Every structure is written in C-alpha cells, then in structure tokens.
Amino acid sequence: MRETPATPQTRSPDRSPDDFAVQIADQIESFIVAVTEVAKGDEPDSAVPFLLLEVSQLMLAGGRLGAHEDIVPDERYEPDTGPEPDVDELRMRLARLLDPVDVYSEVFDPYARSAPVPCRISDDIADVLTDLRHGMAHYRAGRVSEALWWWQFSYLSNWGPTASASLRALQSLVAHVRLDTPMDELDGLDTDSDAEDLRLEEEAGAVMAAEIAAPLGIKPNGD
C-alpha cells in the first residue's frame, strides 16, 4: 500500500463538465473503450489508424497531467481496488491484429546512454490499459483525488513513456506506408531474449510498405 507524504490535502473537485478531473477521466474512458473495441478485431483493416488516433488523444490527457501541479490524494493510504482486470486476452488479440509489425525497437530515455530494446505495441497498449483501469476504479468509486494522483504518477513513471513509445512506432509505420518507403530488416528482433531459436516471423523484416498497406488499411501516397 502506498503512503502519501504528509502534505496539505486537496479537496475532491466538482464533477462539472468543465472540471479538470472530469475531462481527464472522459479522455481515459474513451481510450479504454476504443482500444477494447479495436482488440475485438471486427475491423482489422483499420487497427493501426485507430490505435494511432487513440494513443495520440490519450497523450493529450497525459500532457495535461504532467503539466499539472502535484496532485495529493485525500487519503493517506491507497484504498484497495480489488483484483486487476486480466488484459492477456486483449494483449493477444492486438498481437494477432498487428502481426507482423507488432515488434519494434525503442530507446526509452533519450537522456541516458542505452541501447535500443525490442518492444511490442500489443504489450505497450495492454500495460497502459492496466494503469488507466486502476485509476478508473478509484474514480468510479468516488475517490477522484486518488484517481488523479494515480494517473499523474503512473503517467510520469510508466504509462506515459510506454504510450509515447508505441505512438512513435505507430506513426513510423503509417509514415513508411504513406511515403512508400521500405521498412528495414528486423534481423530477428524479438522480445523473447531467452528463446534464440524463436525469431520474429521471418517475413517481417523483409516486408515492404506497399505489401503491408492493404491489410493495415493505409493507402500509400498518391493512391
């Protein structure tokens, strides 16, 4: 359980349409609902454009949380929200939708000397969803300041960097297709470092933008 610093407590804000808390919660709820719908796979051709749009909009909420003064929850200890919802099925559905472009390379801290690491868009989205749902459980229970504190803290520490990374990957993917530029070979890039014999699908690295445009629902420039 988290213990908050001994600082003056903030009052739970009014839930008016113009209130900061209501706006943030609405943006987060919209992302949760939209991504859950995308993961159902009813419109696979639109998965990448939809995810690009939804993650972009979510980052606006994150930017507002990051720019906001430190939020202090009303309660000293974080109340129990119960078991976390399982996101494994959603993760796997997204992985199937995004195959073979799910895996990408990312450097998480631009101010640290670190080598790029392999990541998966499907993992990123599922992890972000877990953080957002945790805060939403507080919000729906009426613990508005706790929800805002959690969303702000986890934006700075986890879901912000994770969503930013997946956004860059999605934007890059769309750019490759729209600008009709080849994708570099992935050279077996995978997130399973202990399984040397398991490579990312062999064709993934050699796929050209024109070949993946149709199944991703993106038209190359000039079409």
Side-chain angles (χ1 to χ4, degrees), residues 20-29 32 58 61-62 65-66 71 128-140 143-160:
F20 176 77
V22 173
Q23 293 173 0
I24 295 296
D26 285 349
Q27 287 179 285
I28 288 175
E29 176 70 15
I32 294 173
L58 177 66
L65 286 164
I71 299 168
V128 168
L129 212 64
T130 297
D131 277 346
L132 299 181
R133 282 176 172 174
H134 184 86
M136 188 58 69
H138 286 304
Y139 185 81
R140 289 172 176 166
R143 298 185 291 269
V144 178
S145 64
E146 186 72 41
L148 287 174
W149 176 86
W150 171 258
W151 284 328
Q152 184 186 60
F153 169 77
S154 56
Y155 166 74
L156 297 172
S157 63
N158 187 49
W159 73 260

Side-chain angles (χ1 to χ4, degrees), residues 23-223:
Q23 293 173 0
I24 295 296
D26 285 349
Q27 287 179 285
I28 288 175
E29 176 70 15
S30 176
F31 177 83
I32 294 173
V33 171
V35 168
T36 302
E37 287 299 313
V38 170
K40 291 179 180 179
D42 294 337
E43 299 184 52
D45 292 349
S46 302
V48 168
F50 279 163
L51 288 176
L52 176 63
L53 176 62
E54 294 303 326
V55 177
S56 297
Q57 293 177 335
L58 177 66
M59 292 309 297
L60 173 59
R64 296 183 67 192
L65 286 164
H68 198 281
E69 62 184 7
D70 288 349
I71 299 168
V72 180
D74 292 333
E75 301 182 38
R76 184 176 179 85
Y77 294 96
E78 181 182 8
D80 187 6
T81 60
E84 298 287 352
D86 188 6
V87 296
D88 284 345
E89 182 178 354
L90 180 141
R91 188 192 311 270
M92 291 186 291
R93 286 177 177 271
L94 287 176
R96 287 194 291 269
L97 280 173
L98 297 170
D99 176 65
V101 292
D102 192 22
V103 177
Y104 68 97
S105 179
E106 171 64 14
V107 176
F108 282 100
D109 189 346
Y111 292 101
R113 293 189 178 184
S114 56
V117 295
C119 303
R120 290 184 181 272
I121 299 174
S122 56
D123 288 344
D124 292 347
I125 300 298
D127 290 346
V128 168
L129 212 64
T130 297
D131 277 346
L132 299 181
R133 282 176 172 174
H134 184 86
M136 188 58 69
H138 286 304
Y139 185 81
R140 289 172 176 166
R143 298 185 291 269
V144 178
S145 64
E146 186 72 41
L148 287 174
W149 176 86
W150 171 258
W151 284 328
Q152 184 186 60
F153 169 77
S154 56
Y155 166 74
L156 297 172
S157 63
N158 187 49
W159 73 260
T162 302
S164 296
S166 63
L167 178 60
R168 285 192 292 273
L170 291 165
Q171 190 278 334
S172 177
L173 180 58
V174 171
H176 275 294
V177 173
R178 291 282 173 83
L179 301 177
D180 196 20
T181 56
M183 297 178 67
D184 293 336
E185 293 187 8
L186 299 181
D187 296 326
L189 180 69
D190 205 341
T191 55
D192 300 321
S193 58
D194 295 332
E196 294 182 357
D197 59 328
L198 295 178
R199 303 182 60 204
L200 182 66
E201 289 83 355
E202 293 182 0
E203 69 273 16
V207 170
M208 302 292 284
E211 294 174 339
I212 65 174
L216 293 180
I218 307 172
K219 295 182 179 180
N221 210 18
D223 283 6

